[in-house]
Amino acid sequence: MPQALKNYLLCIALTLLLCGLFLGLLTLSYSYGGETLYRNTRAALETIQKEGDYPIYFFEAFPERYRLPAQGDNYSDSVILERAGFRAQNALLDALDMQKYARYWHGYVALLRPLLCLMSYENIRLLMMALFSLLCGVSLLQLYRQFGSLLALCFGLSLMILQGFIIPSSPQYFVCFAIALAAMNLVLCYAPKKTLHTRSVLLFFTLIGALTSFLDLLTVPLITFGLPLLMLLAIEAKAQRQSSPLLRGTQAALAWLIGFGLNWALKWVLASSLLEYDVLTEAKAQALFRMAQQEGLGSSQIGAVVINLNNLLHFVGIGYLAFCLLLLILALIRGKIRSKAFFLTHCLLLIAPYVWFAVLSNHSQIHAWFTFRTQIITLLGLPLLALSLVDFQQEQLCIWKKR
């Protein structure tokens, strides 16, 4: 049996194992309760009701261009809390059914229920803020150590452009960024020390994909693939270890899709098998709706790209993009493309968010106020590409430093 086939069979086996683990965690979480859990859930729902379904944070008096990206999603958070504070009758079936919302895993329940047993929703928000700040701080430090101060600065500016201050205020917003930043830091920590074998990379991205589909409600899942892969390719190019970055990127993409897609599909199959209604048909209908493929639904792929891009085009975002494009032009003039395969792979990653918007065009237009943050892949990838074009040995401005 070819080694490549063995590796992907391992990815499938890992996804099956994780599927069983995820179902066990959800069943376990619905096996216990308590008045503290239900009291904290009721208080959290009351807090959200007072704030409104879609509150604007800090930018209430600003034009819509600034208000929309600062919009919270308390409506979805209330859906999350209702399922976290649900009084289960049958732990297994209720974990699959999720109050007739079976097309998602709702893995956040396994995290929120024990937390709501210990603390209020306000304290959970503070905990998310602390964890997000820690992850961002470690990311800044790691980027500075590996690539220099300029890329670390670009990461901080990217978060500011995306109005990242509201991310930890919402469980829905927080999940994908937590996974993506944690995965990115793992790559930044371990990849410079040694060559990562193909099998390890594939299993790593399979794990990330499966964890994303377990916890996320289709907010910005692509960043859990894009950010760690950006770092992996850049580190391997810097160390001149990987002769085929395009192959590396393709392998990682397939592994992430196995984890993300197969784990999600398994939830549909399990739910359809054990519940009293056809979850597979419902999931298919919703997938077609997200892609605007149902009869009578109109959605422009170009419109989906434009509306998400427009959320970046305030004065800070325009200035940042202009700086990155200028840096890229200077790099192309002064530097050289040391690896055409790396350049091509990196460019494909830069446009990946816009391909995502076009494919899920209806979803990306309806929820553009949070899906636009998928573009952190592009915002961080642009300066990384520009700086990687400069000759390591001769240009003082290059981020590739000999250590």
Side-chain angles (χ1 to χ4, degrees), residues 88-123:
Q89 303 300 317
N90 183 308
L92 173 60
L93 295 182
D94 287 331
L96 286 170
D97 184 47
M98 287 294 170
Q99 297 176 269
K100 305 300 180 182
Y101 207 166
R103 65 179 181 272
Y104 290 108
W105 269 103
H106 301 277
Y108 51 79
V109 166
L111 301 176
L112 274 180
R113 278 181 75 90
L115 287 175
L116 286 167
C117 287
L118 299 173
M119 63 185 76
S120 67
Y121 184 60
E122 289 78 6
N123 285 330

Side-chain angles (χ1 to χ4, degrees), residues 20-39:
L21 175 62
F22 294 156
L23 182 58
L25 286 173
L26 285 174
T27 304
L28 178 64
S29 69
Y30 270 140
S31 299
Y32 62 86
E35 284 307 312
T36 303
L37 165 66
Y38 305 127
R39 183 174 62 250

Side-chain angles (χ1 to χ4, degrees), residues 105-111 171 175 179 210-217:
W105 269 103
H106 301 277
Y108 51 79
V109 166
L111 301 176
V175 164
I179 296 171
L211 192 60
T212 302
S213 68
F214 177 61
L215 294 172
D216 182 45
L217 289 178

